Amino acid sequence: MDDARDPLIALDDVHVTFKTLAGEVEALTGVSFDIHANETVAVVGESGSGKSVTALAIMGLLDGGGVSSGQVISGGRNLAALGEKQLRKVRGSEIAMIFQDPMTCLDPLYTVGNQVVEAVRLHTDLSKKDATARAVELLGQVGIPDPDKRIKSYPHQLSGGQRQRVMIALALACKPRLLIADEPTTALDVTVEAQILQLLRDLQKEYQMAILLVTHDMGVVAEMADRVVVFYAGQVVEQGLVNEVLRDPQHPYTTALFEGIPTPHTDRSEPLTAIPGAVPSLRELPSGCRFNPRCRLAFDKCTSGDVPLFLLDGNRQSRCWLAEGDSASRPADFAVGAEAAR
Ligand SMILES: Nc1ncnc2c1ncn2[C@@H]1O[C@H](COP(=O)(O)OP(=O)(O)O)[C@@H](O)[C@H]1O
Ligand SMILES: [Mg+2]
């Protein structure tokens, strides 16, 4: 990846807070990473680590919360500072998102044709007739058989995999530069999952778009992504090129995600085995490294103070004191002191 080019999207020290009845919670703490044109970046981590919040922060769709500091830079603008009207424009023409559950996007009362035609008309000035032809084409591109007939189906008449395909068609209607896919295959069986992932790869080439793929499945990361950003408890703990992170994970959390802890009951063919212990509540974060209570390699330094994100060779980053001794390492977190003072 040519890092000299301006990224399509750059998250810069993004903090997201939610106001809840029990007070404010900080769901993202100083998240920074880039997405370049045409690349696939995977965001990975256990449930509750902040993956969806990151996706929604980019889309400007945080419900009950917001970006409290930091920026989401795209095309010279800070998306986090845009009003709803401008954001809607961005969502309609530059960034689109698909979700785990297609029914969150599809209206059960309208035919899929109706919905895709509407999406096309929203983003183009095609006539109804031409928009319908484009909708049939889109449905064909996403692998819906007999799209000119299927266009008359209602969402409930389609299988889960086909509904997911329709949602992808809706997202493509605006020819996005970035497609955010939040666990797009988690609800599908493995055969359909493989087909949808292949479809996303094909469409990425055809539409020349970047993909931000949110997943908790390291197998999907390995298969799909160029780079991976590993999240833990609202922070980036490691990032780098997928093949390098796979070959030699730097953060013990990444290692645990890839390997799991083998036990007599562990099926080693499973890509993700449970890591002992649980993701900490954002209200009761441990002091020191957020992963330290579950880390096999934790030592005294890990239990107090924030851990900087160390920059390693090859644009790798690891938020682990073990990276400090690395000869090439230096803190990437200019804001460590600021974070500690916050
Ligand atoms: N609407 C919300 N209100 C309050 N807290 C939220 C909200 N959405 C997310 N969070 C907090 O942010 C954390 C991360 O959520 P999320 O990004 O959805 O996790 P995941 O990595 O599984 O996608 C959650 O554990 C929760 O504590
Ligand atoms: Mg999620």
Side-chain angles (χ1 to χ4, degrees):
M1 218 22 73
D2 179 5
D3 277 334
R5 280 179 303 147
D6 269 351
L8 206 55
I9 304 266
L11 279 77
D12 176 22
D13 199 25
V14 170
H15 293 247
V16 167
T17 48
F18 288 99
K19 290 197 171 61
T20 70
L21 289 175
E24 273 199 357
V25 287
E26 188 171 73
L28 295 185
T29 305
V31 168
S32 302
F33 67 92
D34 296 342
I35 306 167
H36 286 86
N38 301 324
E39 74 169 336
T40 299
V41 175
V43 163
V44 71
E46 288 164 289
S47 179
S49 53
K51 305 182 299 295
S52 294
V53 168
T54 300
L56 295 170
I58 296 172
M59 292 290 284
L61 288 174
L62 291 166
D63 202 12
V67 174
S68 50
S69 71
Q71 308 187 79
V72 181
I73 300 292
S74 176
R77 302 151 306 181
N78 175 15
L79 301 186
L82 294 186
E84 180 55 28
K85 198 172 158 200
Q86 293 161 300
L87 271 174
R88 216 173 283 157
K89 254 198 192 137
V90 172
R91 291 197 290 261
S93 59
E94 297 167 45
I95 310 175
M97 183 162 171
I98 59 175
F99 301 86
Q100 178 178 334
D101 177 9
M103 288 314 265
T104 55
C105 289
L106 298 176
D107 190 325
L109 299 179
Y110 291 91
T111 64
V112 298
N114 228 312
Q115 296 178 59
V116 180
V117 170
E118 276 311 302
V120 170
R121 295 198 77 185
L122 202 63
H123 302 303
T124 62
D125 41 23
L126 293 180
S127 68
K128 182 122 199 225
K129 184 161 164 266
D130 291 343
T132 305
R134 173 74 182 132
V136 170
E137 182 190 30
L138 273 168
L139 289 172
Q141 270 178 352
V142 299
I144 301 280
D146 301 322
D148 48 337
K149 295 199 187 71
R150 276 317 213 173
I151 205 163
K152 299 193 186 83
S153 304
Y154 288 86
H156 75 267
Q157 294 172 311
L158 303 177
S159 68
Q162 285 186 337
R163 284 200 287 259
Q164 193 58 275
R165 289 172 192 273
V166 172
M167 186 161 60
I168 294 169
L170 283 173
L172 292 176
C174 75
K175 300 201 172 122
R177 311 300 307 142
L178 171 66
L179 178 70
I180 300 178
D182 189 351
E183 311 244 8
T185 58
T186 301
L188 305 173
D189 72 50
V190 282
T191 321
V192 182
E193 169 172 56
Q195 292 166 358
I196 297 285
L197 293 177
Q198 183 60 48
L199 173 66
L200 287 175
R201 271 194 298 254
D202 293 345
L203 291 169
Q204 176 171 39
K205 277 203 202 93
E206 195 166 335
Y207 281 78
Q208 298 276 303
M209 58 188 181
I211 295 180
L212 180 69
L213 182 66
V214 173
T215 178
H216 61 267
D217 185 335
M218 283 306 219
V220 171
V221 173
E223 197 179 324
M224 294 288 291
D226 303 303
R227 288 192 301 124
V228 58
V229 183
V230 184
F231 273 67
Y232 188 76
Q235 289 181 317
V236 172
V237 295
E238 173 156 11
Q239 60 173 305
L241 293 171
V242 165
N243 49 15
E244 290 179 10
V245 174
L246 272 169
R247 192 180 60 227
D248 183 23
Q250 293 296 309
H251 198 287
Y253 178 63
T254 315
T255 309
L257 269 185
F258 277 127
E259 294 173 357
I261 311 292
T263 71
H265 308 291
T266 306
D267 175 3
R268 295 306 305 269
S269 67
E270 291 284 316
L272 184 65
T273 33
I275 303 168
V279 178
S281 153
L282 295 170
R283 294 178 196 289
E284 288 165 85
L285 291 170
S287 63
C289 169
R290 294 181 177 187
F291 186 57
N292 93 75
R294 301 170 75 190
C295 184
R296 282 173 295 176
L297 303 174
F299 55 108
D300 49 357
K301 200 171 182 175
C302 305
T303 55
S304 67
D306 291 331
V307 189
L309 194 56
F310 291 100
L311 191 61
L312 308 170
D313 271 346
N315 270 333
R316 293 284 294 281
Q317 296 179 356
S318 173
R319 195 182 289 281
C320 177
W321 286 117
L322 292 172
E324 186 188 29
D326 199 298
S327 59
S329 90
R330 59 201 153 89
D333 244 355
F334 48 89
V336 179
E339 212 173 294
R342 209 185 301 272

